[in-house]
Amino acid sequence: MFFATKQSPRRVGDCFGRKNIALAMTMLAMTFLTSCAQLDAILATPIPLTATEIPLPTATINWFPPSATATLIALSTKAPTPEMRPGLGNEIITDDFSDPSLWDIAASNQASADIKNNHLILSVQSQVFMLSLRNDLVLNDYYAEITAQPSLCRSEDSYGLLIRASASNYYRFALSCNGAARAERISGGTRLILQQPLPSGDVPPGAPGEVRIGVWAVGKEMRLFLNGRFQFSIIDPSFPSGSIGVFVRSVGETPAVVSFSDITIQSVDYVLPTQTLIP
């Protein structure tokens, strides 16, 4: 027996729906493919760049730039230091202070000058001046050096070398115990300062100490040296010749004691330049 069955409307509708969906999807796929083909064609066509859109060239970085070349500067050459002791000759006197008769020797309650152990020792009490000259000696132009050793010396106390000296007239190159040097002219007991006190690192600051004092004397010019170093120069024509000596002076409330040794005197063969007078 054959039984015929009636198809459900829902099933028919489902079949019809599926056909429509498939058709729609087919049409959508064709549309998409067509759109893609058109898009590929558009992208394949080059678009010209405007002037403002042209990319600028990339700058090249120089990681190791060349160093600047230094400019050489020509330095001026200094003139050589002039010879401050020109014309030095042979030694004419060397004295080791072994002969007391060559120097003024004296002693009192206030001061004394004595030679012991090859040293001429000058001692003075408070505010006393003492000098000792070499006997029977007259010199004109020369260079003299002597070693001074202060053993008791304070503040403004002074000592030093006498040049072109007599009993009452001489040039005095003085070192004070506060570290300064000066020059004076003594004439008949009157003192004239020729060089104001000048601080110097070669002057012993007090006692004990040691310094080599030198004076170059030619004509009217005299130059002071300490330990071989030039200090200053003075010009005075008052005393063209004389002996040589040493001195010590106390200006405070305490005594002063200084010893001197190893004096040498050299000849000098030199003529000072003539100064041109401008009218």
Side-chain angles (χ1 to χ4, degrees), residues 33 47 63 103 107 117 134 143 147 168 170 181 222 241 259 263 268:
L33 291 176
I47 300 175
W63 296 103
W103 292 85
N117 301 322
R134 169 83 182 235
Y143 176 70
T147 299
S168 58
Y170 46 82
M222 289 153 279
S241 63
S259 63
I263 186 171
V268 175

Side-chain angles (χ1 to χ4, degrees), residues 210-239:
E210 179 174 312
V211 58
R212 187 76 173 164
I213 305 172
V215 173
W216 182 91
V218 174
K220 60 183 178 181
E221 183 174 0
M222 289 153 279
R223 302 172 182 176
L224 175 66
F225 295 82
L226 299 178
N227 299 324
R229 285 181 280 270
F230 173 72
Q231 304 295 312
F232 58 78
S233 174
I234 62 172
I235 295 177
D236 188 273
S238 300
F239 311 138

Side-chain angles (χ1 to χ4, degrees), residues 32-87:
F32 176 76
L33 291 176
T34 302
S35 299
C36 290
Q38 291 177 350
L39 182 59
D40 290 341
I42 293 173
L43 295 176
T45 303
I47 300 175
L49 298 175
T50 63
T52 57
E53 295 174 334
I54 298 176
L56 297 176
T58 302
T60 302
I61 299 176
N62 187 358
W63 296 103
F64 302 98
S67 301
T69 303
T71 303
L72 298 179
I73 301 175
L75 300 177
S76 60
T77 302
K78 291 184 178 180
T81 303
E83 173 56 55
M84 300 305 296
R85 290 175 291 186

Side-chain angles (χ1 to χ4, degrees), residues 92-93 137-142 144 164-165 239-244 265:
I92 55 178
I93 294 176
L137 182 65
V138 178
L139 300 171
N140 296 313
D141 299 341
Y142 58 90
R164 294 174 176 172
F239 311 138
S241 63
S243 185
I244 195 168
I265 301 176

